[in-house]
Amino acid sequence: GGGLLHKRALVLEPARIISGLLDNVRVRTGTVEISLQDRLVNAEVFDIIVLATAMETNRQLGWVGLEGRLGQVESVADATPVQAEAMASGHYALALEDQRLWGATFEKIEDGVPAATSAAARATNADALRQLSPWWQRSATSLPVQSRAAIRATTADRLPLVGAVPDYSAALETFSGMRKGRPVDADAPVLPGIFMVNGFGARGFTWGPWAGRVLAAMCLGGPSPAEVA
Ligand SMILES: Cc1cc2nc3c(=O)[nH]c(=O)nc-3n(C[C@H](O)[C@H](O)[C@H](O)COP(=O)(O)OP(=O)(O)OC[C@H]3O[C@@H](n4cnc5c(N)ncnc54)[C@H](O)[C@@H]3O)c2cc1C
């Protein structure tokens, strides 16, 4: 039925691209305790803190209201090696050398419920794959299939949250006149040195690098690489 060919599209391998992006960055992993008012991370003071903690941000900023969307993908290894190929129509199917990957589901999940794979999601993905390519479906599912599920932090309007974190109670006070029809005559009060990048939903790899550049410009006071930010 026709389609759109993205000749310069890429298939990304997250584990490899992330370790590349983190070259020259000092990384410490583990659970982090923060105090936003005092800019403390595990009891150490920082000039700037960027919250990039997905759904956990609901605990750090009670008003932020992120919603979880559970996503499951299926994959096989050791298939016949082929050149990189991607098909998409809502769902997608990717081939990279001897790996195949297809999915993904997009289901509402309550905050706090951990991600888990399910047979129902696997069946949904199998149906979608059959519609994309019956041949591909037969060849991929003849091998042992692995399922993986994770949660996407999503905003109500599907746009990401990038920038300074508002001081919620001060903002309510500053803008209280709006209820009575008064014009907004002040900038939103923010928590000094506290920033966030979040709510990427299903598009974190697409938007992440751009959002990172916008955020770096905000943190360092440089010109923004976005026309509207
Ligand atoms: C099945 C599936 C398929 C997808 N496909 C695509 C795609 O094709 N293209 C695309 O662009 N995007 C895709 N996405 C979406 C993409 O994965 C997300 O948008 C992206 O991962 C969001 O990045 P993030 O860093 O904001 O959040 P996350 O990747 O969720 O990372 C948040 C991190 O914060 C850590 N954390 C939380 N609290 C704390 C704490 N207190 N201390 C320390 N660490 C903490 C967590 O452990 C986690 O590592 C897909 C997602 C899923 C689930």
Side-chain angles (χ1 to χ4, degrees):
L4 194 60
L5 175 64
H6 290 264
K7 278 193 168 174
R8 297 176 65 198
L10 304 171
V11 175
L12 301 181
E13 289 181 88
R16 287 176 65 185
I17 199 164
I18 288 169
S19 60
L21 289 170
L22 292 176
D23 259 1
N24 300 322
V25 175
R26 190 159 54 104
V27 178
R28 277 187 275 168
T29 57
T31 303
V32 166
E33 297 295 333
I34 57 168
S35 158
L36 297 181
Q37 292 298 342
D38 307 322
R39 288 207 301 272
L40 291 173
V41 177
N42 291 348
E44 197 181 333
V45 181
F46 285 83
D47 295 334
I48 287 179
I49 297 173
V50 179
L51 300 176
T53 39
M55 290 300 290
E56 190 56 28
T57 312
N58 280 344
R59 248 65 60 203
Q60 295 153 340
L61 307 172
W63 47 267
V64 77
L66 292 158
E67 293 180 0
R69 291 291 180 276
L70 180 66
Q72 182 169 319
V73 285
E74 323 299 331
S75 63
V76 298
D78 297 328
T80 309
V82 291
Q83 287 198 334
E85 184 190 84
M87 288 178 289
S89 176
H91 283 70
Y92 49 80
L94 311 176
L96 185 64
E97 294 162 2
D98 66 348
Q99 297 175 66
R100 307 286 185 273
L101 183 141
W102 63 95
T105 53
F106 194 87
E107 302 291 330
K108 194 169 172 133
I109 183 167
E110 289 306 315
D111 192 8
V113 176
T117 58
S118 74
R122 186 182 278 204
T124 303
N125 285 337
D127 277 351
L129 183 59
R130 204 172 299 117
Q131 283 179 24
L132 278 171
S133 166
W135 175 85
W136 217 100
Q137 200 255 354
R138 273 194 301 280
S139 111
T141 50
S142 59
L143 295 156
V145 177
Q146 292 258 339
S147 300
R148 190 179 76 80
I151 295 172
R152 312 168 180 94
T154 305
T155 59
D157 66 2
R158 301 286 184 270
L159 292 174
L161 302 168
V162 182
V165 171
D167 182 332
Y168 185 67
S169 43
L172 287 185
E173 180 70 33
T174 303
F175 299 127
S176 60
M178 287 173 72
R179 285 181 199 277
K180 295 175 190 128
R182 275 190 227 125
V184 177
D185 53 6
D187 285 339
V190 296
L191 296 175
I194 310 294
F195 294 82
M196 70 191 296
V197 268
N198 210 321
F200 289 113
R203 298 199 169 82
F205 278 101
T206 314
W207 280 341
W210 169 80
R213 284 196 298 271
V214 171
L215 188 75
M218 285 176 172
C219 292
L220 301 172
S224 174
E227 284 178 26
V228 180

